[in-house]
Amino acid sequence: MKIFIDSADIKEIRDVASWGILAGVTTNPTLVSKTGRPLRDCIAEIVEVVEGPVSVEAISPDADGMVKEAREWAELDRNKVAVKIPMGVEGLKAVSRLAKEGIMTNVTLVFSPNQVLLASRAGATFVSPFIGRLDDISHDGMEVVRDAVALIEYYDFSTQVIAASIRHPLHVVEAMRAGAHIATVPYDVLVKMVRHPLTDTGIKKFYDDYQKIPKK
Ligand code: G3P
């Protein structure tokens, strides 16, 4: 399973990129608004810093508008920008048109296996089931990831499943168990994934014991 960071904060992105584990970035208007930066500057810098795909959200309500936005984003680097298209009839129209143009898409705000099937049929590069938001309303968010992976494999679609709206490290473990191709993980959760109390105490004990070794 590849790891993306779900963030628009360039400091967080640079930091995780330096760990050598980062395969891409997902953003959304909420995350970009938290940076206080103009959208285009923010995304252009992320595209420069990161090797893998960078998802940026289209906000037009209709397919023509989404396609226009996508073409503009693709000018930054069409091999790296994936345009996030919200699930819906207009979104599906946009995805199928963009697939023919070779522009990567990430169908977002996905909450059911039927939506995964439709996005895959339309030619989405990525599909993003939102786990945390389903858990928030007492549905099993991971169930959609499991179904998505199974149906994509069964019907031999090329769409990759991004486990999104991840809230804690156990979500990442469950996404792996479900066979998600990618998990997009917020910075604080990535930091928690690194840590384990037994690692910390183990490092301290080895360090302390090293000091006791005679130097000659
Ligand atoms: O990648 C999707 C993510 O940005 C949504 O997360 O926590 O707002 O549900 P959240």
Side-chain angles (χ1 to χ4, degrees), residues 47-141:
V47 168
E48 255 182 53
V49 166
V50 176
E51 291 296 326
V54 176
S55 288
V56 54
E57 191 116 1
I59 45 111
S60 299
D62 56 87
D64 285 345
M66 289 184 221
V67 168
K68 185 170 174 289
E69 281 181 70
R71 287 178 183 149
E72 285 165 8
W73 284 118
E75 280 168 17
L76 277 181
D77 186 339
R78 67 160 44 228
N79 296 316
K80 277 166 92 175
V81 171
V83 183
K84 264 184 153 178
I85 304 287
M87 185 64 208
V89 170
E90 291 303 306
L92 290 172
K93 288 184 204 169
V95 168
S96 60
R97 286 167 59 184
L98 291 167
K100 288 186 190 95
E101 293 184 25
I103 294 177
M104 289 193 286
T105 53
N106 175 359
V107 176
T108 188
L109 291 162
V110 163
F111 297 97
S112 77
N114 282 338
Q115 292 179 324
V116 174
L117 172 66
L118 294 168
S120 302
R121 278 275 168 223
T125 317
F126 305 104
V127 64
S128 291
F130 275 26
I131 300 161
R133 292 191 192 186
L134 278 168
D135 288 359
D136 286 345
I137 57 161
S138 303
H139 284 256
D140 180 4

Side-chain angles (χ1 to χ4, degrees), residues 6 28 31 84 130 133 164-165 167 184:
D6 193 32
N28 64 38
L31 294 169
K84 264 184 153 178
F130 275 26
R133 292 191 192 186
S165 182
R167 303 280 170 75
T184 188

